[in-house]
Amino acid sequence: MNKKVFIDQKPLSCPSQLKAIHDTMDILSGKWKITIIGCLSFGDKRFMDLMREVNGIGSKMLSKELQELEINGLISRTVQPTKPVTVEYALTAYGQTLRPILWEMADWGHHHRIKVKATLKGEVGHG
């Protein structure tokens, strides 16, 4: 049975849907990018703020991930004329379009954690 999915009145096939998902994952892949975007969704941050909030990331990796996110137009980098120089990172308007996806992921993750804890309690009770 060939079921058609429509988005914005355009029929989508499974391959085109999978290609779009693959494209998204290429941009957001890796251990840190989604976490960095999540942190920036709460407001602009300096490099060291991100280092503190993105638990476990090294400075070279954070720098690399920020650069890739900037290249893809998801974040902006602003150098403040202070001494010493201050650099602030922010989500661009394009990057902010990811907010609903992040909130859905957070909601799903929260519910999943509750489900796993409940399952583990059930296993302990039956063991």
Side-chain angles (χ1 to χ4, degrees):
M1 177 176 185
N2 197 1
K3 188 175 181 183
K4 288 190 177 183
V5 177
F6 289 86
I7 294 180
D8 295 331
Q9 306 302 318
K10 298 175 192 167
L12 293 176
S13 64
C14 185
S16 67
Q17 223 22 18
L18 292 176
K19 176 68 175 139
I21 291 168
H22 184 73
D23 291 346
T24 303
M25 289 180 66
D26 280 348
I27 292 169
L28 300 177
S29 68
K31 184 175 180 180
W32 307 108
K33 287 189 181 100
I34 290 175
T35 305
I36 293 166
I37 292 167
C39 285
L40 291 173
S41 71
F42 290 99
D44 301 358
K45 305 269 192 250
R46 295 180 183 167
F47 187 87
M48 290 309 293
D49 295 332
L50 287 167
M51 282 287 298
R52 278 188 291 278
E53 291 184 32
V54 181
N55 205 9
I57 194 168
S59 61
K60 284 183 181 179
M61 180 58 74
L62 178 58
S63 182
K64 176 186 160 295
E65 297 290 65
L66 289 168
Q67 189 175 34
E68 288 178 14
L69 290 167
E70 186 179 9
I71 287 167
N72 283 298
L74 299 174
I75 67 167
S76 63
R77 178 182 185 272
T78 305
V79 178
Q80 304 293 339
T82 58
K83 293 197 185 221
V85 172
T86 304
V87 179
E88 278 197 348
Y89 296 90
L91 284 181
T92 61
Y94 185 53
Q96 289 177 20
T97 64
L98 292 168
R99 278 182 169 160
I101 297 166
L102 291 175
W103 299 153
E104 284 296 319
M105 287 175 67
D107 189 48
W108 187 90
H110 175 73
H111 286 96
H112 179 69
R113 182 177 297 262
I114 291 169
K115 180 182 179 201
V116 168
K117 283 181 179 179
T119 301
L120 291 175
K121 279 184 182 179
E123 288 178 8
V124 171
H126 291 100

